Amino acid sequence: MDSDAQPPVGIDEWLERVRAGYQRIEPRQAYEAARAGDALLVDIRYAALRERDGLIPGALVVERNELEWRLDPQGSHRLPEATHHALRAIVICNEGYASSLAVHSLRQLGLHRATDLVGGFQAWRRAGLPVV
């Protein structure tokens, strides 16, 4: 082992470090931001979960493995909504774990306002917010 190498970091510690770098958003705040046109809700849950639990009206569905390509304003495969690095994307997974790691990746691409939903889709639904 290289004497300068750092010991491995477990996922729980890494997740804590990632989340310390930005402010996450609660379901009601995300709902209000989206309604006001100040944020784009991005659902990264896989199809089986969307089919089982439903969708958030107006949320953009982007599979996790395509997220960076679809939201990078400089990318050749970007979505029409990915117009600038100041885009306030609120990433939503099922319970709020994978979305935190996705936000880290988006922020590495310069999307400095990207954040994720505390508790994910399940917290959205528990809060009684719209689902179709």
Side-chain angles (χ1 to χ4, degrees), residues 8-114:
V9 175
I11 187 63
D12 293 328
E13 183 178 341
W14 188 41
L15 191 59
E16 189 176 312
R17 289 180 189 180
V18 164
R19 289 176 173 167
Y22 66 96
Q23 186 171 357
R24 302 176 78 209
I25 192 166
E26 295 291 334
R28 178 65 58 186
Q29 294 170 305
Y31 174 73
E32 294 299 333
R35 277 190 53 191
D38 184 43
L40 177 65
L41 302 178
V42 182
D43 186 343
I44 64 168
R45 294 174 302 141
Y46 53 88
L49 289 177
R50 294 191 312 268
E51 290 168 10
R52 182 189 77 189
D53 294 336
L55 299 167
I56 295 170
L60 184 65
V61 174
V62 180
E63 297 280 339
R64 173 62 191 101
N65 63 327
E66 297 179 356
L67 185 67
E68 292 82 356
W69 283 268
R70 300 296 188 208
L71 291 187
D72 179 4
Q74 297 176 321
S76 58
H77 297 348
R78 72 182 175 276
L79 293 169
E81 294 86 353
T83 57
H84 51 81
H85 285 95
L87 174 68
R88 185 177 183 202
I90 300 174
V91 181
I92 303 166
C93 68
N94 194 49
E95 295 181 346
Y97 296 98
S99 57
S100 294
L101 300 179
V103 165
H104 177 71
S105 183
L106 292 176
R107 286 176 162 257
Q108 295 288 91
L109 290 174
L111 292 156
H112 62 274
R113 295 181 69 207

